[in-house]
Amino acid sequence: MSDMKKNIEQIHGRIQKAARAAGRDPDAVRLVAVTKTVEAERIREAAEAGLDCFGENYVQEAREKIEALADANVSWHFIGHLQSNKAKYAVGLFDLIHSVDSLKLAEEIDRQAAKRELVQNILVQVNVGRETQKSGIDEEAAAALVRDAAGLEHVRVNGLMTMPPFFDAPEKVQPYFRRLAELRDEIAAQNIAGAEMKELSMGMTGDFEAAIAEGATLVRIGTAIFGERT
Ligand SMILES: *Cc1c(COP(=O)(O)O)cnc(C)c1O
């Protein structure tokens, strides 16, 4: 068995274990395999090993791979920072855009989705660590952005995403995941029309088990599957 296949089996096992430990259904946690810098050929190998959802950070890089894997029955998510002027390339190409952090971007996505006569699923990215260098909207402004974005005809808000501050110990990150889950619950309680608030995109190679413990429904994992990026 290839290293990648072994990695995938291991990650599935760890996701299941973390979900059960939290009293959750393992099927409620979806693995988004992060493929930035990974070549199409290896992504195909991962798809053949059973992965069905891939996350990309750059639109141009993703377009080539999506084309190369057009015959594979897989889903593509956009997880990187999206500039408004690139929205036209991302809309419709990705089943879910995880990183919407401004109304300006949501409105541009809406415009582009309207042109293509589709409804684009998005997540609102929240900067729970209040780090100046990180993308994401502040907690206090998140509910308003969900409401405004959900009011757009061609945008559907599915939930929240975060990139917490970096720590080498998952237990230090866990409170940030908990905060995102609380925020999701607070916003869900407002019953905003057009916002489903089911998804929590959080957790990467170093901390996905802590994220699952706090309710992650989408974990974004690259290194543990494909190895260190060069
Ligand atoms: C690169 C990246 C990941 C995956 O990180 P790993 O540590 O390799 O698992 C997850 N989310 C985002 C937004 C990323 O840019």
Side-chain angles (χ1 to χ4, degrees), residues 9-179:
E9 278 196 2
Q10 255 178 22
I11 292 296
H12 278 313
R14 286 172 62 186
I15 288 172
Q16 284 173 7
K17 195 169 165 213
R20 291 209 184 91
R24 302 182 55 207
D25 176 1
D27 290 339
V29 183
R30 190 165 185 204
L31 172 57
V32 181
V34 175
T35 45
K36 58 177 176 248
T37 77
V38 178
E39 285 170 15
E41 217 171 293
R42 299 190 67 218
I43 301 175
R44 184 175 292 281
E45 199 190 319
E48 281 164 1
L51 296 191
D52 61 359
C53 182
F54 298 99
E56 285 278 338
N57 291 62
Y58 305 99
V59 178
Q60 184 59 39
E61 184 186 335
R63 278 168 89 175
E64 292 163 17
K65 298 177 193 176
I66 293 172
E67 218 166 278
L69 275 95
D71 59 320
N73 189 20
V74 298
S75 172
W76 296 89
H77 289 192
F78 189 79
I79 63 170
H81 178 66
L82 186 60
Q83 287 169 299
S84 297
N85 62 2
K86 296 279 168 62
K88 59 176 172 290
Y89 304 117
V91 168
L93 189 60
F94 297 96
D95 294 317
L96 183 63
I97 297 174
H98 289 224
S99 47
V100 176
D101 62 357
S102 73
L103 183 57
K104 182 180 171 222
L105 176 57
E107 285 174 341
E108 184 56 24
I109 290 172
D110 180 60
R111 252 190 303 279
Q112 298 299 334
K115 270 192 204 168
R116 291 164 181 72
E117 299 182 346
L118 55 87
V119 174
Q120 178 68 54
N121 288 308
I122 67 158
L123 303 178
V124 164
Q125 181 175 355
V126 183
N127 184 1
V128 284
R130 299 175 195 281
E131 294 171 285
T132 49
Q133 76 279 18
K134 282 232 171 98
S135 304
I137 192 161
D138 285 347
E139 272 178 35
E140 295 73 22
L145 179 54
V146 168
R147 185 176 296 278
D148 291 343
L152 300 167
E153 200 177 333
H154 296 272
V155 168
R156 189 181 299 121
V157 183
N158 294 3
L160 304 178
M161 178 269 216
T162 198
M163 288 273 283
F166 177 79
F167 293 103
D168 52 13
E171 65 274 14
K172 291 192 180 146
V173 196
Q174 197 157 335
Y176 295 94
F177 294 144
R178 188 170 313 143
R179 183 59 203 135

